[in-house]
Amino acid sequence: DDVRVQMVRDRDQRHRLVLSGVYDTIGFDGLDGFMGTLARNWSFSVIFTAQSGQPYTARVGAVDLNGDGNTRNDIAPGTLRNEFRLPSIVTFDPRISREIPMGPARLQLIWEAFNLFNRDNISGVDTTYYSVAGTILTRATNFERPLASAGERIMQLAAKITF
């Protein structure tokens, strides 16, 4: 049970908000003629995600401080397990599509973006709090340096034919 509780703490997500919505004009009957044809068959959707940072533990290089044969479970002296947190993550992912009837088939044109505002969502940092030389611990200068990102802005276009 202690292992299960610790695993939950390792992925502790304090705050997370996800909003999504879809608006489509498939049944739009407000206009006739050319303007009605132009206004119908659009779909607009979005997913907005905001979350607090994940916890992480400060480490001591690649040294096995407690002699258990595992260098990944040693907490840096003077720190606590999961004492530090990554920065928050915020993404805005919109999608616009248009369906065009073509006899028995339908052509769907799609534009979508991920992380539209290109926010630098850091998902991993250097957790080395101390480096080791012999038996001397020295505070690492690269502690908390960003190592990974949840991804830069990506946009894509697609065409899909269904029949």
Side-chain angles (χ1 to χ4, degrees):
D1 281 338
D2 288 341
V3 172
R4 189 175 318 165
V5 168
Q6 195 58 54
M7 288 172 58
V8 169
R9 284 189 200 137
D10 286 345
R11 297 292 172 215
D12 178 25
Q13 185 66 64
R14 295 289 169 104
H15 308 98
R16 183 170 168 87
L17 172 69
V18 179
L19 301 171
S20 63
V22 177
Y23 176 78
D24 65 53
T25 64
I26 292 173
F28 184 69
D29 293 326
L31 298 171
D32 292 328
F34 177 73
M35 291 306 287
T37 302
L38 191 61
R40 279 190 288 276
N41 297 327
W42 288 92
S43 179
F44 304 92
S45 58
V46 66
I47 300 173
F48 171 79
T49 305
Q51 67 184 41
S52 59
Q54 293 285 320
Y56 67 93
T57 303
R59 309 268 181 213
V60 177
V63 177
D64 186 12
L65 290 178
N66 61 8
D68 67 352
N70 183 356
T71 61
R72 299 299 304 150
N73 67 353
D74 295 324
I75 298 171
T79 67
L80 302 172
R81 182 178 183 86
N82 293 331
E83 179 177 346
F84 303 93
R85 286 198 168 268
L86 294 171
S88 62
I89 291 178
V90 178
T91 60
F92 185 79
D93 305 334
R95 176 183 168 136
I96 300 172
S97 64
R98 172 86 195 272
E99 194 167 282
I100 303 168
M102 298 173 31
R106 294 178 181 269
L107 171 66
Q108 188 177 35
L109 303 174
I110 304 165
W111 170 83
E112 54 191 359
F114 305 94
N115 191 15
L116 180 67
F117 301 117
N118 205 27
R119 187 172 190 274
D120 192 13
N121 291 308
I122 296 176
S123 60
V125 295
D126 191 333
T127 61
T128 304
Y129 195 75
Y130 292 112
S131 59
V132 179
T135 58
I136 298 173
L137 296 177
T138 306
R139 179 77 193 269
T141 58
N142 57 352
F143 177 64
E144 296 189 302
R145 177 180 50 114
L147 297 176
S149 172
E152 67 280 352
R153 174 181 37 234
I154 297 172
M155 287 190 236
Q156 61 187 21
L157 296 171
K160 177 172 128 179
I161 297 176
T162 56
F163 49 95

